[in-house]
Amino acid sequence: NRPENCHFYLSKETSLSNNKIIKQEQRLRNILETSLEGFIQVDNNFVVQKVNPSMCTILQKKESELISKSMYSLATPKTKKTLKEQQKIRAKGITSSFFGELYKKNGDITICLFNSTPLYNENKVKIGSFSMVSDVTKLHNTLEELDKTNKELEERVKSRTYKLIQAEKLASLGHLVAGVAHEINNPLSFIKANSCIIAEDLTELENNTKKTKPDNKTMKNINNLLNINLNGINRISKITQTLKRYARPN
């Protein structure tokens, strides 16, 4: 229990703790170095501090080409707006996920999914944030193609449905026309018959002598037949109007 022994044990305990921390950091570093996902660490101003090999592969750039670069210089104009929003969210200590477009070395655009978390030092002071980054360009392009295909299929279905409806209308119209022809024949038949009778009565009247007055019964018969003919003509007119409305609803 001598004082020098206490210092010895404290020193040994501190050394063990430091070794444990070093091993944990080394293990974490190994995980990040071998991870298939990209890793990027930025400070509070979104300036890159660290990246792993997978992040370099995603952007096709060397580590030296990314360190000390602003995230805004790597992003497309569309994603710059997103980064501003995310910077505000991260300042509040909030974790979030978002999609962003980054430029590769050759100028192509890669679409990434960021899972970002605030980063604090041992004094619990926020010093930046880090993100695990997945390249989802192929998935995004596949989804876009799928969406395009779905829209094309929807248009085809609409087109075919419209054609089927038109075909059904034409078929119905054929039945309707047949019925209309039948309905028109009926009034036309008695109009024709009545017209023949009227013609005969008129001939009879002409054959009478000028001194003979026309038979009232005959004149009434002519008027009745003419009224029936007019009714028949009106029926034909209504049928024709109905057919026009069906054939051209607009």
Side-chain angles (χ1 to χ4, degrees):
N1 294 328
R2 288 183 302 176
E4 58 268 23
N5 289 337
C6 291
H7 286 299
F8 170 78
Y9 286 116
L10 285 173
S11 176
K12 189 172 182 65
E13 186 176 344
T14 301
S15 176
L16 290 173
S17 297
N18 289 336
N19 288 336
K20 186 176 180 180
I21 292 172
I22 291 171
K23 286 182 180 180
Q24 288 177 342
E25 288 180 348
Q26 185 62 44
R27 190 179 300 112
L28 178 60
R29 191 176 294 110
N30 289 337
I31 291 172
L32 293 177
E33 290 293 319
T34 57
S35 173
L36 295 177
E37 282 190 295
F39 171 84
I40 187 165
Q41 180 183 327
V42 298
D43 62 15
N44 289 325
N45 295 317
F46 271 35
V47 174
V48 178
Q49 303 297 307
K50 292 180 183 179
V51 291
N52 71 344
S54 290
M55 193 68 224
C56 295
T57 300
I58 290 173
L59 297 180
Q60 297 177 350
K61 293 182 179 182
K62 296 178 181 178
E63 183 179 358
S64 59
E65 295 175 303
L66 296 172
I67 299 298
S68 298
K69 298 291 182 181
S70 170
M71 283 294 295
Y72 292 97
S73 68
L74 304 174
T76 64
K78 177 182 176 182
T79 298
K80 286 179 181 178
K81 295 179 181 179
T82 304
L83 289 177
K84 287 181 180 179
E85 294 172 358
Q86 290 299 318
Q87 195 169 0
K88 292 177 182 178
I89 292 172
R90 215 70 66 243
K92 297 177 182 179
I94 300 173
T95 298
S96 66
S97 298
F98 64 97
F99 289 98
E101 298 175 344
L102 302 180
Y103 288 114
K104 293 182 179 181
K105 188 172 184 177
N106 61 5
D108 290 343
I109 294 174
T110 181
I111 302 171
C112 299
L113 171 62
F114 293 81
N115 293 298
S116 303
T117 303
L119 185 64
Y120 299 88
N121 62 14
E122 60 275 8
N123 296 320
K124 295 184 179 181
V125 176
K126 184 177 169 299
I127 59 173
S129 60
F130 69 91
S131 302
M132 299 306 296
V133 184
S134 301
D135 185 352
V136 294
T137 306
K138 290 182 179 179
L139 176 61
H140 180 270
N141 292 339
T142 300
L143 290 175
E144 277 196 341
E145 287 295 324
L146 183 61
D147 185 58
K148 182 181 177 181
T149 302
N150 285 338
K151 288 180 179 178
E152 289 176 354
L153 288 174
E154 286 177 2
E155 288 300 319
R156 288 181 185 177
V157 169
K158 288 180 181 178
S159 177
R160 290 183 181 179
T161 302
Y162 175 77
K163 288 178 180 178
L164 285 172
I165 291 173
Q166 292 302 110
E168 289 179 1
K169 280 187 176 182
L170 288 173
S172 299
L173 185 60
H175 291 297
L176 180 64
V177 169
V180 168
H182 176 73
E183 290 296 322
I184 289 176
N185 277 334
N186 287 334
L188 281 179
S189 296
F190 59 70
I191 287 172
K192 184 178 179 180
N194 291 343
S195 297
C196 292
I197 295 172
I198 290 171
E200 291 176 0
D201 287 343
L202 287 173
T203 302
E204 182 181 343
L205 286 173
E206 289 176 357
N207 291 334
N208 290 334
T209 59
K210 294 181 179 180
K211 295 180 179 180
T212 305
K213 293 182 179 180
D215 186 7
N216 289 334
K217 184 178 180 181
T218 302
M219 293 303 296
K220 287 181 180 179
N221 190 35
I222 292 172
N223 287 329
N224 287 335
L225 292 175
L226 286 174
N227 288 331
I228 292 172
N229 284 357
L230 289 173
N231 288 332
I233 292 170
N234 289 334
R235 284 176 60 187
I236 293 172
S237 178
K238 289 180 181 179
I239 291 168
T240 305
Q241 289 174 2
T242 302
L243 178 59
K244 286 181 179 179
R245 283 197 297 271
Y246 181 86
R248 292 182 295 178
N250 292 330

